[in-house]
Amino acid sequence: MSKYQRVLSLLKNPPLGTGITVKGWVRSIRVGKGVAFIAVNDGSCVTSLQVVLDPGMPGYEEACKIGTGSAVGVEGVLAASPAAGQPVELRAERVTVYGGVDESYPLQKKHHSFEFLRSIAHLRPRANTFGAVFRVRSALSFAIHRFFRERGFVYVHTPIITANDCEGAGELFRVTTLDLADPPRIEGKPDFGRDFFGQATGLAVSGQLEGELLACGLSSIYTFGPTFRAENSNTARHAAEFWMVEPETAFADLADDADLAEDFIRYLCRFALEECAEDMAFFDKQIEPGLIHRIGALADSEFVRMDYTEAIAKLEKASVSFQYPVSWGLDLQTEHERYLTEKVVGGPMFVLNYPKEIKAFYMRQNDDGRTVAAMDLLVPKVGEIIGGSQREERLDLLQARMEQMGIDQAGLSWYLDSRRWGTCPHAGFGLGFERLIMYLTGMENIRDVIPFPRTPGHAEF
RNA sequence: UCCCCAUUAGCUCAGUCGGUAGAGCGGGUGACUGUUAAUCACCAUGUCCGUGGUUCGAGUCCGCGAUGGGGAGCCA
């Protein structure tokens, strides 16, 4: 591979007068009688590099026939641009076409709908919006690791294949090597005892339970990896395969947990604004006017904390009428959450201490006997972005709750052991990574912040 | 899974009262220009999602199906 330079570094620190090579994809070409211009984008930044072709250049005629979307290499000299629109340009001396296009190339130099681009997800990385989305996604992945590393958290890898199906976090995708056409049977049902793992297994819907075990030894841990849910969810914010960040902290309570979540979100907002400035400016201009102000304001503000009980009182006093009933003991519906975060608070908010009947078995029971130490972080537009809790560390109370909820204790004996010996208070949360990216970029559909989204009926690419 | 909406040229869309299909972009040809998703002129392009029905006649009305979108539930 011959040496070449990325557009980003050329624009940042232009080596004027120097011979260089760039490689990328043609965004547009404008051919005139005395001169031609090619905009070349290599995905290193939103901005394309203007390449100037002089008719005296060898191969000029062929170069002028290059279509939008072609992969090219350009050797030439970088020079200050005499025209407005770009500070520098590449005066081409030789153009190499690696891959041309014909008239059937679907990406044109025009606006395309996100619906259409989803149908050509294999080509959309060449579109400005998706270049920006995937660069921000990459940068924020790094930011997540940096945030936790700065705070002494240990990055742990929890299993992707699991035998737990009792976490209450959603439907499992089955993992099996049994012959589906004719599985071994026991009492008419497939005998998973003869499956690969000797029991029924599936893809993990959460790494939380294992994360708790690691925290109860390493003190502060986090996971960051793919998560799978076989739910028939058809919404702009659900996917069957998504990435989740799950920190877990020993000797922490619910207030500590919310503080960590707040610091975390604020850190990520600042990171996006500082480290992804050009892409964020693109989103601010093209996707959601006011985005930069919104993210900046969030980074500088305190997050509101409100008990579930108070939230219910606010909703009962609301002047608007809701489609779903509001009453202590009922879960908050999306319309209620949106009212709270968008109308009552006007920004991100934690709702804390939910009724125990509507939450998972592992959440710590509060002294009032009717609520658990759960929290949801709600943000405008996206809704629930974080869900977390302080975990029940008292063995007797945990077992009693599992008993009440009909959860098999034998299969979770290892989990109960962590409470049996050396138990400690601990808390954690789960952040939907794609929802974070949606919030930071203004993109409104989760299918547009994952390169190749998996949703019901869709596993193409 | 439920509710609502949509499906017309490669893409984005218009199409009146039911009378046999249009624009912009893209493509082709040419002109012109240190151009900026260039501009101008000309040219070509259709299984009107599929299917059944109503009608003299259906892109248009009705039924069924498919696909997509929005909302809801589940949740991150």
Side-chain angles (χ1 to χ4, degrees):
Chain A
M1 187 176 74
S2 61
K3 286 223 193 301
Y4 63 97
Q5 288 178 270
R6 303 299 300 274
V7 172
L8 176 65
S9 64
L10 290 176
L11 295 177
K12 213 185 242 177
N13 210 351
L16 294 177
T18 312
I20 54 155
T21 302
V22 297
K23 302 187 182 192
W25 293 266
V26 174
R27 282 297 162 80
S28 76
I29 178 163
R30 299 177 287 277
V31 179
K33 196 140 224 169
V35 65
F37 301 94
I38 303 177
V40 175
N41 189 285
D42 67 359
S44 60
C45 55
V46 170
T47 308
S48 297
L49 182 68
Q50 168 153 287
V51 171
V52 185
L53 304 183
D54 184 273
M57 185 192 80
Y60 176 79
E61 295 299 323
E62 296 74 54
C64 287
K65 290 194 161 49
I66 291 171
T68 298
S70 299
V72 297
V74 183
E75 294 168 50
V77 176
L78 201 67
S81 177
Q86 61 284 316
V88 298
E89 62 189 23
L90 182 59
R91 306 264 164 82
E93 290 165 356
R94 190 163 74 163
V95 174
T96 306
V97 178
Y98 292 101
V101 294
D102 60 20
E103 67 284 351
S104 64
Y105 182 64
L107 264 182
Q108 300 151 20
K109 49 179 175 181
K110 67 183 283 291
H111 171 79
H112 291 287
S113 67
F114 288 136
E115 290 86 350
F116 172 68
L117 291 168
R118 256 169 242 156
S119 74
I120 52 165
H122 53 307
L123 299 172
R124 68 180 182 172
R126 302 177 192 178
N128 287 334
T129 299
F130 291 90
V133 165
F134 299 140
R135 279 189 298 273
V136 168
R137 192 180 162 109
S138 167
L140 267 294
S141 298
F142 170 75
I144 284 163
H145 288 299
R146 200 173 82 171
F147 173 86
F148 286 118
R149 186 162 180 81
E150 285 172 357
R151 284 157 184 76
F153 282 64
V154 176
Y155 176 38
V156 301
H157 299 129
T158 51
I160 287 173
I161 296 174
T162 177
N164 312 328
D165 58 356
C166 48
E167 295 169 20
E171 293 292 314
L172 251 65
F173 282 103
R174 181 68 68 203
V175 171
T176 182
T177 53
L178 292 181
D179 177 5
L180 292 181
D182 184 26
R185 291 174 190 274
I186 184 165
E187 292 172 5
K189 294 178 180 170
D191 181 7
F192 290 107
R194 293 169 65 183
D195 202 350
F196 187 87
F197 295 105
Q199 59 185 313
T201 53
L203 297 178
V205 297
S206 165
Q208 182 201 313
L209 299 188
E210 289 91 349
E212 285 186 47
L213 308 181
L214 286 150
C216 292
L218 293 162
S219 289
S220 298
I221 64 94
Y222 70 105
T223 71
F224 182 19
T227 305
F228 307 90
R229 297 198 182 163
E231 267 146 13
N232 192 11
S233 297
N234 292 286
T235 81
R237 59 188 190 284
H238 287 87
E241 177 182 292
F242 63 99
W243 283 60
M244 188 154 64
V245 182
E246 293 180 291
E248 191 75 30
T249 313
F251 309 107
D253 61 16
L254 187 67
D256 298 324
D257 204 32
D259 288 346
L260 179 69
E262 178 177 340
D263 286 349
F264 184 47
I265 294 294
R266 218 191 275 122
Y267 182 97
L268 297 176
C269 289
R270 290 204 179 107
F271 189 96
L273 291 174
E274 288 165 15
E275 303 288 328
C276 309
E278 194 200 8
D279 288 327
M280 294 300 282
F282 173 84
F283 292 124
D284 190 77
K285 186 171 172 224
Q286 301 290 337
I287 304 295
E288 182 195 333
L291 172 84
I292 287 177
H293 178 261
R294 193 193 85 207
I295 303 296
L298 174 63
D300 293 332
S301 68
E302 296 266 315
F303 291 24
V304 168
R305 286 159 174 74
M306 187 184 293
D307 264 16
Y308 166 87
T309 301
E310 186 189 344
I312 291 293
K314 286 268 197 299
L315 291 169
E316 283 174 334
K317 278 191 286 182
S319 50
V320 300
S321 64
F322 296 112
Q323 192 184 342
Y324 288 86
V326 173
S327 168
W328 202 99
L330 298 180
D331 207 354
L332 299 179
Q333 302 295 316
T334 297
E335 60 174 345
H336 306 142
E337 294 179 341
R338 289 195 62 164
Y339 179 82
L340 289 168
T341 185
E342 292 173 9
K343 298 290 193 301
V344 176
V345 170
M349 66 179 297
F350 290 102
V351 178
L352 306 160
N353 298 309
Y354 284 76
K356 64 180 178 183
E357 282 75 19
I358 58 173
K359 288 293 180 182
F361 74 92
Y362 50 73
M363 296 187 179
R364 193 177 196 276
Q365 297 163 61
N366 289 325
D367 292 341
D368 62 13
R370 60 178 198 159
T371 62
V372 290
M375 67 168 197
D376 284 345
L377 175 60
L378 310 178
V379 294
K381 283 177 69 175
V382 174
E384 186 180 340
I385 196 169
I386 280 178
S389 66
Q390 184 175 348
R391 323 304 189 187
E392 181 56 80
E393 85 281 12
R394 298 162 294 187
L395 180 64
D396 51 341
L397 287 167
L398 181 60
Q399 286 178 314
R401 194 77 192 116
M402 290 172 77
E403 179 97 33
Q404 285 167 13
M405 295 175 75
I407 292 164
D408 173 47
Q409 296 186 30
L412 287 173
S413 61
W414 47 273
Y415 183 71
L416 291 167
D417 278 353
S418 67
R419 275 66 171 170
R420 187 166 284 123
W421 301 300
T423 190
C424 70
H426 59 286
F429 62 80
L431 167 85
F433 184 54
E434 284 76 16
R435 290 187 183 176
L436 172 77
I437 301 302
M438 290 166 71
Y439 190 69
L440 291 177
T441 61
M443 298 294 288
E444 291 186 333
N445 196 310
I446 196 167
R447 301 174 185 93
D448 297 327
V449 298
I450 309 178
F452 304 105
R454 272 74 178 100
T455 53
H458 289 285
E460 301 89 354
F461 312 109

